[in-house]
Amino acid sequence: MMSSLLSFGWLQQLLVVLLKLTLSFAGPTNGTECTARGPASYILVFTGHWSPQTFPKQYPLFRPPAQWSKLMAITHNKQHRLFQEGTLASIGVQNFAEVGVTVDLVKGAKDARKRRAVGAMYRTAGIATGIGHSSTELLLQPWSPLLSLMVKVIPSPDWFVGVDSLNLCEGGKWKQEVTLDLQPFDAGTDSGFTFSSPNYPTVPQENITRITSQMPNHPANSFYYPRLTELPPIASIRLTRQRLYFCAINLLHSLTLSLSIHLSETPLDCEVSLWSSWGLCLGPCSSGGIRHRTRYILLWPANAGAPCPEMEEQTECTPHNCLKPQ
């Protein structure tokens, strides 16, 4: 009898240990785990709604005009955040929000991927106007069901629109369609009030905050509309799940094109600014004077995207372009 009790007690302790190990591998449950049996494919469409009709105050018309940067998106789990409202921006978020540089964001995502905190990273080309679309295909795994993304507002001191940790899997099922209106964020690293403000670092750095019609509460702010209770959407995203049949067809097509699959290597075409104004004529018009104008690169090409055109242009001067001698 005693030996039976001892055996039962040993077995009970073993079960407790196994249960603890199982829970430790599963991690704490806070509602973000996905119990779906397989991955899900989505089409992500980003739409800019930034127009002089919806945002007439200080609307940028040139050097550069209103436009959107490339979209940076990652799939991940709760162990990683691309950005978070109410916390300090990382160096990657700061560089992207201020000047559109993605090097540190990419490095952070790659480091997190080694820890199995990030599933994949995606990006789309920029949009050369305030109103427009960009899109890409996403593949989410059950262990990384969250989506975060950022798009820089150009021009701006450190403003961006984004989504933080959108869970596309709830109750063990992938969502079929999600549409979100986006509002601007301030990265808290530059104190400029207007779209075209010069660089003015915020010292000490402040938390990431949502920009509203009345915050920052200053008449000079480009988004300050005190008569509005809330800003109209400056952008939006739409996620539509694809059927598994089409996912399989796309995967088979990718395999026939390449021995290795690079889901995030979307071709990026070169994006350039508008031409500057023509400069003054160099040399007298009678002897073939010339004048120049320039533009600059907004987005470098990648993944076999279209190359950049010429950045400088010149033309012969005509008499009405020449400066008359005093």
Side-chain angles (χ1 to χ4, degrees), residues 211-222:
I211 299 174
T212 70
S213 60
Q214 300 180 40
M215 288 298 293
N217 188 14
H218 195 290
N221 189 273
S222 294

Side-chain angles (χ1 to χ4, degrees), residues 30-33 72-85 87 117-118 140 144-150 160 162-170 175 178 180 182 185 210 237 239:
N30 62 359
T32 63
E33 288 76 14
M72 297 294 298
I74 61 170
T75 61
H76 60 101
N77 55 38
K78 62 189 176 182
Q79 304 300 326
H80 183 74
R81 300 292 278 268
L82 183 63
F83 75 93
Q84 184 178 5
E85 184 179 359
T87 65
V118 166
L140 284 87
S144 57
L146 307 181
L147 174 68
S148 294
L149 62 87
M150 293 179 63
F160 67 95
V163 174
D164 173 28
S165 303
L166 172 64
N167 192 355
L168 291 173
C169 178
E170 289 185 351
K175 295 180 179 179
V178 178
L180 292 177
L182 304 181
F185 286 97
R210 190 181 300 270
I237 62 164
L239 290 147

Side-chain angles (χ1 to χ4, degrees), residues 89-127:
S90 66
I91 187 64
V93 170
Q94 177 181 352
N95 289 338
F96 184 72
E98 290 188 8
V99 293
V101 175
T102 61
V103 174
D104 292 299
L105 278 183
V106 172
K107 182 179 183 300
K110 287 182 176 179
D111 291 343
R113 189 172 186 178
K114 295 176 183 177
R115 307 191 307 269
R116 285 185 62 82
V118 166
M121 179 176 57
Y122 304 86
R123 55 185 174 182
T124 69
I127 304 173

